[in-house]
Amino acid sequence: MKNLNLLLFTLLFSSMVMAQQYDVAILNGRVMDPETMYDNIANVGVKDGRIAIITKDNITGKETIDATGLVVAPGFIDGHQHCIETYAYRLMVRDGRTTIMDLEVGASGPNVDAFYKDREGKSPVNFGISVAHEFARATVLDGFTEWKHYNTPDGFVSRAQAQGWSKTRPTLEQGNQILANIDEGLRQGALGIGSTVGYMREGVSSREIFELQKLGGKYGRYIAMHFRNTPGNDVQEVSGIQEMLANAAALGSPAIACHFNNPGYNMVHELLVRMREKGNNVWGEVYPYNAGSTTLNAMFLEPEIWVDALGYKYEETLKDVETGEFYTVESRKEMLKKEPTRPIIVYKMPEEAIVDWLKMKGVAIGSDGMPIIPDDGLEWDTPYEDFPNTHPRFAGSFAKVLRLARENNIPLMQAVSMTSYNYAKPLGEMGLKSMQVRGRMQEGMVADITMFDPETVTDHATYAKGTLPSTGIPHVIVNGIIVMRDSEPLKRFDAGQPIRFEVQGKGKFEPLTIEGWTQKFYAVPEDFSGTSGLDCCDFGQEGHEH
Ligand SMILES: [Zn+2]
């Protein structure tokens, strides 16, 4: 009798243990891993923030998600989201995004640490940032030091109030200050350097870009670039990326071609593929829309560039986000006086091209979502319909990729790869540990998981209403924590983690002593010893010898 009791107790106890084998059990989903190409119906057990098991066997968990009919994919990684703010998070998870990073613009160097601290324990998604070339220039050339938010309307104040950052060739001393500002950001753990040189054009010398990439290369980190001539035609766009890639090849430093969904994209893609084949860690990203978004006073929209040089008409390409009306030369001039940083939509590619972009191997998705202007009073739970309008890529980019893949017979694994792995892999190759364990559905990886219905997943955001949430993505897990269940985002601000390099102590920045820094055409520094320098030392990683 006693033994029977013990037996019953043992059975009961072990079944209780079984019931809590995993924190979350995801059952009967189609598990897809873009790295191993695993594509199978299986159960996934999540424990302590990691994918503990992927198995055909029955498993149980404290929480159970029935994923029948759903794809169980690596959480979507958006490497190009300019709005990493509380009010954005619900829309991000509705679109399946588990990591959002602003790699193109970034934060001011001394503010990188504050960017991360401000978001710790306050975000359901992972977050990361570059150090900003633009803000380093605004600090040195315009005297800006206050950055309330890293890149919200307050951050963009430099674009409205001053143009030194855009148009000025720095002296050697100022150039060193710019580089020192960026160096500080890298020491504070920024993922790489963001450069919006396309908003500066010839205000920035080739030498300055080269030195930026050299500095990034010292840390093994990328430059993410809005190319010098973007937007442009199929010659200017390509030459803009060739500048970056030539430097990357010469210096052995990583590089990201930001939103190359522009004229000449197939050429850009071939350059990236061939350079990767030769061992260079360079990659590119696109957003699935044929119109871009920027502010009305963007330098490349000046009539001399946009109309005269590129041959566009304002009436066909420049649309006001709020009114939905196209600008004319006159109405643009009037609005510039009233509201220079007014958000606009810029048409630049035919609609058919989008599907073509989604077929490109190795390319990642970066939404280029912009901060909402104005964002006063926007909170975590502000209803989506109360948001002011913005470009639809803010809310719909990732679901749109999946919808277009379905409608155009693009293999689902290609779409899953673009939305996650293609950003994680090259960032991981830079030595970024947090990205070596994301973007993959494998045992031992971090449990950032997005579950979507391949038959129904779709975007809803349009140019008329850019903040409508995507649907068909019912469940999202970040670091093992369920942050969305049955399409209802949960306020799990404990889930998101920083995507960041380790902080390094204050270092001594080595100033450059290059003659000809400000010259329009690069003069060979006297101390440059030509090809013999390449023979004798690792020129690329050490910078100039003096
Ligand atoms: Zn850009």
Side-chain angles (χ1 to χ4, degrees), residues 154 218 233 261 448 455 470 515:
D154 301 291
K218 267 192 192 171
N233 60 26
N261 41 296
D448 287 353
E455 303 302 323
S470 303
E515 298 295 326

Side-chain angles (χ1 to χ4, degrees), residues 113-122 127 148-149:
D113 189 54
F115 167 88
Y116 283 107
K117 287 220 170 96
D118 286 351
R119 284 157 185 80
E120 261 166 46
K122 293 179 194 157
F127 46 89
K148 271 188 196 165
H149 306 294

Side-chain angles (χ1 to χ4, degrees), residues 65-84:
I65 293 175
D66 178 8
T68 308
L70 302 179
V71 168
V72 181
F76 300 161
I77 296 168
D78 185 353
H80 194 145
Q81 168 57 269
H82 297 302
C83 183
I84 307 179

Side-chain angles (χ1 to χ4, degrees), residues 80 82 104-105 159 195-196 199 225-227 230 258-259 287 293 368 370 393:
H80 194 145
H82 297 302
E104 185 214 34
V105 171
R159 290 196 175 180
S195 176
T196 49
Y199 289 85
M225 194 187 280
H226 179 129
F227 310 134
T230 296
C258 292
H259 50 50
Y287 55 78
S293 158
D368 200 5
M370 301 286 273
R393 65 194 181 191

Side-chain angles (χ1 to χ4, degrees), residues 115 212 256 260 391 478:
F115 167 88
L212 281 184
I256 308 175
F260 74 92
H391 191 293
V478 175

Side-chain angles (χ1 to χ4, degrees), residues 462-484:
T462 63
Y463 292 108
K465 191 64 191 164
T467 59
L468 298 176
S470 303
T471 56
I473 305 176
H475 317 297
V476 175
I477 294 176
V478 175
N479 295 302
I481 294 170
I482 300 172
V483 300
M484 184 165 73

